[in-house]
Amino acid sequence: MINDIKKDAESRMKKSLEALHGNLNKIRTGRAHSSILDSVTVDYYGSQVPLNQVANINTEDARTLSVVPWEQNMVPKIEKAIMTSDLGLNPSTAGNNIRVPMPMLTEETRKGYIKQARQEAEHARVAVRNVRRDANGDIKALLKEKEITEDEQHQAEEAIQKLTDKYIADIDKTLESKEQDLMQV
């Protein structure tokens, strides 16, 4: 039973870390990479679908993305979806190739993005701590029902704490690397 609680806690903490990676990928750095457009959805025959399901997204150079729709009639819809997204990008169209230049980040916008990244990291830390609280609660419930001894309870809580420390350290490393990416000019 204790092993099940540990496995569940570890999988939930891993999901929190993966969610942080996804959220940090949405924060753009000065460089172009296709995952910036992962959050953009396009109206495709009445339903909203991710951009990468209606077009090829490639990195042309360090500052430009190239979006090539699979259907010619999707060009204006894709262009509008990129413009209305909260990414602050202005695409330009040449034929059925949409170029998305990445604007240079000012010092002020870099600091704003770092602040946003820190908030995302803090949300991930809180999620990991909530998982720890839930796991410790489950362990205490087992002790209350006399299914485990106090020694087993202490050992299990120590193991959960080690897991928590490991995932919080991973979150801190992820945040640090994102901050370094944002501060590169």
Side-chain angles (χ1 to χ4, degrees), residues 29-74:
T29 58
R31 291 187 304 278
H33 57 90
S34 59
S35 65
I36 290 172
L37 298 177
D38 282 352
S39 62
V40 177
T41 58
V42 181
D43 179 41
Y44 185 67
Y45 296 108
S47 62
Q48 293 292 319
V49 296
L51 178 59
N52 60 8
Q53 291 184 9
V54 294
N56 284 332
I57 305 170
N58 299 307
T59 307
E60 234 175 65
D61 57 47
R63 292 231 176 280
T64 311
L65 287 175
S66 171
V67 180
V68 182
W70 295 327
E71 297 177 27
Q72 179 67 36
N73 64 338
M74 291 301 294

Side-chain angles (χ1 to χ4, degrees), residues 69-128:
W70 295 327
E71 297 177 27
Q72 179 67 36
N73 64 338
M74 291 301 294
V75 172
K77 291 179 182 177
I78 291 173
E79 195 173 16
K80 182 180 179 199
I82 293 171
M83 273 191 227
T84 58
S85 70
D86 60 348
L87 298 172
L89 301 173
N90 278 325
S92 62
T93 305
N96 74 342
N97 187 9
I98 302 169
R99 284 193 171 76
V100 185
M102 295 290 144
M104 290 291 291
L105 295 178
T106 64
E107 190 68 27
E108 191 175 310
T109 56
R110 286 177 197 275
K111 287 180 180 173
Y113 285 144
I114 286 175
K115 187 176 180 182
Q116 184 181 351
R118 287 180 180 159
Q119 286 175 338
E120 294 294 343
E122 185 56 33
H123 290 306
R125 284 188 206 103
V126 168
V128 167

Side-chain angles (χ1 to χ4, degrees), residues 16-32:
S16 297
L17 186 62
E18 290 168 2
L20 174 66
H21 283 289
N23 290 339
L24 290 182
N25 280 343
K26 292 176 188 170
I27 299 174
R28 69 179 175 92
T29 58
R31 291 187 304 278

